[in-house]
Amino acid sequence: WILITEANDVQISYDENHVILDSCIVNVTLSNPHGRVVGIQYGGLDNLLDTGKDETRRGYILQRGSSGFYAYAIYERRSGYPACDLGQTRMVFRLKTDEFQQMAINEEKQREMPNEEDRGHGRSVPLRYPEAVVLTNPTDPRLKGQVDDKYQYSMDTKDVEVYGWVSSDPKVGFWIIFPSQEFRTGGPTKQELTLHAGPICLVMFHSGHYMGNNYCEFHNGEAWRKVFGPFRVHLNSAPKSVQPSVLWKAAKQQSLIETNQWPYSFPISPYFLKKAQRCSVSGRLLVHDRFISPKAFPANSAYIGLAAPGDKGSWQKESKVNQNGVFPITNILPGEYNIYGWVQNIVGDYKNETLLKLSPGSSIDLGDLVYEPPRNGPTILEIGVPDRTAAEFYIPDANPKYINELFLNSEKYRQYGLWERYADLYPDGDLVYTVGISDHSKDWFFAHVTRAKLGGTYEATTRQIKFKLGNSFQNGTYTLCIAIASATHSHLSVQFNDKLGRPQFEASLNEQDNAIARHGIHGFYQFLNVQVNPNWLVDGDNTLFITQKTNINPFVVNHCSDITVAAGDKRLSGTMELMSEGGLKERIIRAGKKLKHPHHSEDALLKDLEETTNCLAMVKQSNKYMIHSLMFKLIKPKIFWHEDVRVEIMVVTYIVEATRVTTPNVPYSDDIMRDIFKHMDASRDLVSMCGREKESKASHEGKCWNENFVAMDKEAAPKGISYFVPPCL
């Protein structure tokens, strides 16, 4: 460790076993010769640290003359060292138990915490693993019945700025501030521990938490050096009457100051490079997905990073792109890198194969970089959102026996024991998801877990996805894409239309990120592409079976981020060419003109209505203004009260699409919507009768509509409609 001082600010004194550093604001005592921190005197407290524990559990820190101190570590492997892996490295600060009870890790997560005694025998009951306990007799009665588990306070690296503890009397804040994340491994979405009951403050440099254990490996003879830090331990104080949140806000302000000063100018190590020795890279990331837009568009909400050449992995320095896809990456250490990244709501990983050789002080503008997602055709069905998490799926309420009140209204996945809730919801059978009717936020359990059985055993679970295909499906090829947000010893098998047959695809997902046990909603991202043989599919109703086969314990699990079935190069019936915003607007105007004077011929009118509905299906909610010219043309009496049931079905299809586009508003006034639903209710009997006439075309369409009409009744409100246009239309 390297001592950081300003000679005019710091007085240094010695005794036989200690070195004392005094800045007149903070007094820090180090053990001699080990350099461990054994005392921090500040704000009226003789020592903020707990001296009743073995000193070897301290972190190694260094002091600079201010209301706090900085520290960094240099890890080095010399050439010729044997192969090994780096499982975990961190610094630990154990504060005084009787002084620090209030913690804060962000604006929303602030609370009184149990102490270490509360987690012991007689005051708590252990749960499935040692880190988790239920508090049965805590010293603070308000905490009785709650779960305490250090993993509940983990955070994504990108969200970590400052966290820490506040004492009660005197009011002193102890804060960890990260001025940069460049020295932390795993990239911006890597989750790490922050603090936990003790009171403990952790500074995690590297670990396998939420990622697996072996992603930092060194080959035999490989040389390596890395600087971890500096980070700041910041101290502040206030009168006893002041709320802890005031100290938190002051620490946040200090965090901004530290960030603006990065890279620091004061470290004396030659291995910590100053600003003039560092590099910068800039550019613009675009996405080219012809099934979203014919032209490349800016990669908004994307993350871009630099990492050493190799597989897609952790980033040395990252930057979030702006709304135009432009990214600046500054203060980069010289070296050889590739560009890596990913785009929110776009599947897959981006990697630019061009090797960047950055010399000290250099600056490179890469211009436009284009990412082409792994897609073979238009989307036929999709469950979820490709955002690398399972947060959009159904997350159940916690068992009342296992509550942490901090997560009742947000981040519900942080609650303990959610893996047990699947068996409560599906005690005998498994989840069945029907495309066009089911809602992934209500009907898709967020984690694919095992089911507990009597005798402490577990059984594999199989999910079913039901979907329809039109009669031209055999003309194309298909791809099943499964984005995995996390997995722990999971074995996935996939079957189309034959649950008992041999799996058509299997994958062993042997990562050990333990996201479900550690209350995470994502872990190590994986992407599976399955080529689907058209012979596996049938005309009409299809079922996709996805089984999580490993059943050794409740923590064998995977979180899906997104499941997609896409067509190949040949288009399916019911899919439509996507076009520019201007082209779509012109097409809608032409369709509206045709409906101004409807055809007397049913077939010609149906053709015009189909064109109108196809146009509407391509309109996004952000472009709802486009449909204004159509709004009242389709509820004209000549069309809306048409005697041909096929016309009525097409009109109702339009109304449902219009409701989707205008959500959360409705497309018409209350009176008109009331008349529409009365008419739809009256039409249902006619549709049902037609559905029994198997030989007529109208009966085939009537059957499809009747199935979807039930879904509308179930939701009972226009903005709650879950609708899927049947392929037969």
Side-chain angles (χ1 to χ4, degrees):
W1 290 93
I2 299 169
L3 183 64
I4 306 170
T5 66
E6 292 181 356
N8 294 332
D9 294 340
V10 180
Q11 295 181 354
I12 304 177
S13 58
Y14 305 86
D15 62 28
E16 183 178 357
N17 299 312
H18 300 93
V19 177
I20 299 95
L21 309 172
D22 188 355
S23 70
C24 299
I25 300 174
V26 179
N27 184 297
V28 178
T29 301
L30 308 178
S31 64
N32 185 14
H34 300 97
R36 302 184 184 114
V37 177
V38 296
I40 301 174
Q41 183 179 354
Y42 173 82
L45 290 176
D46 290 337
N47 194 353
L48 278 65
L49 302 180
D50 184 353
T51 57
K53 301 294 181 181
D54 185 351
E55 291 180 6
T56 60
R57 299 183 68 176
R58 304 270 182 255
Y60 298 83
I61 66 173
L62 302 170
Q63 192 269 343
R64 179 179 186 267
S66 66
S67 177
F69 42 87
Y70 300 84
Y72 63 94
I74 299 174
Y75 284 40
E76 184 174 13
R77 274 177 52 91
R78 296 183 180 178
S79 179
Y81 279 18
C84 70
D85 61 71
L86 182 62
Q88 177 173 278
T89 180
R90 65 183 185 177
M91 295 180 66
V92 181
F93 296 89
R94 179 181 293 274
L95 306 181
K96 273 195 168 181
T97 299
D98 57 348
E99 297 288 351
F100 291 88
Q101 296 90 29
Q102 180 82 24
M103 73 82 168
I105 54 179
N106 65 16
E107 295 288 352
E108 293 77 30
K109 300 176 188 176
Q110 303 184 20
R111 66 168 299 175
E112 294 282 334
M113 290 284 284
N115 57 40
E116 194 166 50
E117 180 185 351
D118 292 332
R119 293 177 49 85
H121 180 70
R123 292 191 177 273
S124 68
V125 175
L127 296 173
R128 291 289 307 224
Y129 44 86
E131 293 86 350
V133 299
V134 175
L135 304 172
T136 55
N137 184 30
T139 51
D140 184 346
R142 294 173 297 178
L143 301 177
K144 184 176 181 179
Q146 293 195 48
V147 167
D148 180 69
D149 184 345
K150 68 178 183 179
Y151 291 112
Q152 292 179 317
Y153 308 110
S154 298
M155 294 181 67
D156 284 5
T157 294
K158 63 181 173 57
D159 299 326
V160 174
E161 297 174 345
V162 54
Y163 56 88
W165 295 84
V166 177
S167 65
S168 53
D169 185 17
K171 194 81 72 174
V172 171
F174 183 99
W175 309 102
I176 302 298
I177 294 177
F178 286 97
S180 170
Q181 305 291 351
E182 75 171 30
F183 49 86
R184 303 182 78 189
T185 55
T189 58
K190 169 70 165 70
Q191 294 181 89
E192 273 300 2
L193 298 168
T194 56
L195 48 72
H196 59 82
I200 298 289
C201 252
L202 298 171
V203 179
M204 303 299 300
F205 291 142
H206 164 82
S207 82
H209 295 140
Y210 305 95
M211 290 287 284
N213 295 324
N214 298 315
Y215 77 100
C216 190
E217 299 176 323
F218 300 99
H219 303 299
N220 187 37
E222 181 181 359
W224 175 79
R225 181 192 298 119
K226 182 167 182 174
V227 178
F228 290 97
F231 66 93
R232 178 176 174 84
V233 175
H234 182 66
L235 308 174
N236 57 14
S237 61
K240 182 180 178 180
S241 59
V242 171
Q243 293 296 316
S245 60
V246 174
L247 293 179
W248 157 258
K249 291 177 181 178
K252 284 268 292 182
Q253 290 297 316
Q254 184 65 35
S255 174
L256 295 175
I257 294 172
E258 302 298 328
T259 300
N260 291 332
Q261 291 179 349
W262 186 266
Y264 293 133
S265 60
F266 50 77
I268 60 176
S269 168
Y271 302 131
F272 183 81
L273 301 188
K274 308 303 189 292
K275 192 175 187 67
Q277 299 171 287
R278 297 183 175 227
C279 319
S280 65
V281 172
S282 60
R284 184 172 70 146
L285 182 64
L286 304 174
V287 176
H288 185 209
D289 186 336
R290 62 190 176 94
F291 299 101
I292 296 178
S293 171
K295 296 182 179 180
F297 54 89
N300 301 334
S301 301
Y303 280 91
I304 287 288
L306 295 177
D311 295 333
K312 303 175 180 68
S314 61
W315 300 348
Q316 182 267 327
K317 180 72 179 172
E318 81 279 346
S319 171
K320 190 169 184 179
V321 304
N322 66 20
Q323 290 302 305
N324 296 316
V326 175
F327 62 88
I329 307 178
T330 58
N331 299 319
I332 307 166
L333 301 177
E336 295 185 351
Y337 300 97
N338 284 126
I339 291 278
Y340 301 85
W342 63 276
V343 185
Q344 186 82 345
N345 299 325
I346 301 291
V347 297
D349 285 294
Y350 171 74
K351 177 185 176 182
N352 189 296
E353 298 293 343
T354 302
L355 184 65
L356 299 180
K357 298 182 178 181
L358 303 181
S359 57
S362 62
S363 179
I364 297 177
D365 184 355
L366 298 174
D368 287 348
L369 306 176
V370 180
Y371 171 50
E372 295 188 4
R375 185 212 278 268
N376 298 322
T379 298
I380 303 303
L381 66 89
E382 184 171 27
I383 302 173
V385 179
D387 60 357
R388 297 174 177 247
T389 83
E392 72 271 24
F393 296 124
Y394 174 69
I395 301 173
D397 292 333
N399 187 319
K401 298 188 299 183
Y402 304 135
I403 291 293
N404 183 324
E405 291 184 354
L406 195 61
F407 304 106
L408 289 176
N409 299 314
S410 64
E411 296 189 10
K412 290 171 61 177
Y413 56 85
R414 297 286 183 194
Q415 298 283 11
Y416 176 89
L418 296 185
W419 55 86
E420 297 176 353
R421 303 298 279 164
Y422 182 80
D424 296 337
L425 294 169
Y426 303 96
D428 301 312
D430 280 319
L431 182 158
V432 178
Y433 187 96
T434 303
V435 174
I437 296 177
S438 301
D439 181 341
H440 67 250
S441 66
K442 301 175 183 177
D443 305 314
W444 188 270
F445 196 84
F446 77 108
H448 198 157
V449 296
T450 55
R451 182 189 292 104
K453 303 297 289 183
L454 295 176
T457 60
Y458 300 87
E459 66 178 1
T461 56
T462 299
R463 300 187 174 195
Q464 298 181 43
I465 301 173
K466 295 183 176 295
F467 61 100
K468 294 178 182 290
L469 285 177
N471 56 15
S472 64
F473 74 92
Q474 293 177 339
N475 296 328
T477 57
Y478 301 82
T479 303
L480 169 66
C481 305
I482 304 178
I484 304 295
S486 77
T488 302
H489 295 304
S490 174
H491 187 91
L492 212 61
S493 73
V494 172
Q495 293 154 290
F496 285 88
N497 294 319
D498 185 4
K499 180 180 179 181
L500 301 179
R502 182 178 179 181
Q504 286 132 348
F505 173 79
E506 292 189 87
S508 293
L509 308 173
N510 291 320
E511 299 302 328
Q512 302 178 47
D513 56 35
N514 287 328
I516 188 74
R518 290 170 174 160
H519 321 298
I521 200 65
H522 64 86
F524 187 80
Y525 176 77
Q526 300 176 76
F527 186 69
L528 305 178
N529 249 338
V530 184
Q531 297 303 312
V532 179
N533 188 326
N535 294 329
W536 301 346
L537 305 171
V538 298
D539 180 14
D541 295 330
N542 289 263
T543 302
L544 170 61
F545 299 94
I546 301 180
T547 302
Q548 203 297 94
K549 298 177 71 173
T550 313
N551 60 344
I552 56 176
N553 63 50
F555 305 129
V556 175
V557 64
N558 65 73
H559 292 82
C560 280
S561 170
D562 180 64
I563 297 177
T564 306
V565 174
D569 292 333
K570 296 182 179 180
R571 292 187 175 277
L572 301 181
S573 61
T575 61
M576 294 152 289
E577 291 285 345
L578 295 172
M579 57 182 62
S580 66
E581 182 176 321
L584 179 58
K585 185 177 180 180
E586 288 297 319
R587 186 170 164 183
I588 290 174
I589 292 173
R590 290 196 302 269
K593 288 180 179 179
K594 291 181 180 180
L595 294 177
K596 187 174 182 179
H597 302 288
H599 284 282
H600 294 291
S601 164
E602 285 85 359
D603 290 338
L605 178 57
L606 280 170
K607 185 176 180 180
D608 291 343
L609 290 173
E610 183 176 10
E611 166 67 4
T612 302
T613 306
N614 286 346
C615 289
L616 193 60
M618 290 186 282
V619 177
K620 298 179 180 179
Q621 290 181 337
S622 58
N623 294 330
K624 62 182 66 176
Y625 70 93
M626 287 185 178
I627 71 171
H628 289 168
S629 62
L630 293 174
M631 293 291 287
F632 291 92
K633 290 184 173 66
L634 281 168
I635 59 171
K636 294 171 65 173
K638 286 185 179 180
I639 298 177
F640 190 70
W641 295 100
H642 203 283
E643 61 183 9
D644 192 317
V645 68
R646 296 175 298 165
V647 175
E648 291 191 25
I649 292 170
M650 194 65 75
V651 170
V652 175
T653 301
Y654 163 82
I655 292 171
V656 174
E657 282 289 352
T659 304
R660 173 189 64 80
V661 173
T662 59
T663 296
N665 301 315
V666 292
Y668 304 102
S669 67
D670 286 348
D671 290 339
I672 294 177
M673 289 300 296
R674 191 177 295 111
D675 290 339
I676 287 172
F677 278 95
K678 283 182 180 178
H679 175 56
M680 290 164 60
D681 190 54
S683 300
R684 181 164 50 176
D685 292 338
L686 175 61
V687 173
S688 297
M689 286 189 293
C690 292
R692 290 192 290 269
E693 298 173 11
K694 296 182 180 180
E695 298 301 320
S696 74
K697 182 177 180 181
S699 70
H700 186 48
E701 294 167 337
K703 181 179 179 182
C704 292
W705 165 242
N706 200 29
E707 292 171 353
N708 289 283
F709 197 93
V710 172
M712 294 178 67
D713 278 351
K714 182 179 179 181
E715 296 294 337
K719 67 180 180 180
I721 292 172
S722 177
Y723 182 74
F724 174 71
V725 179
C728 61
L729 294 181

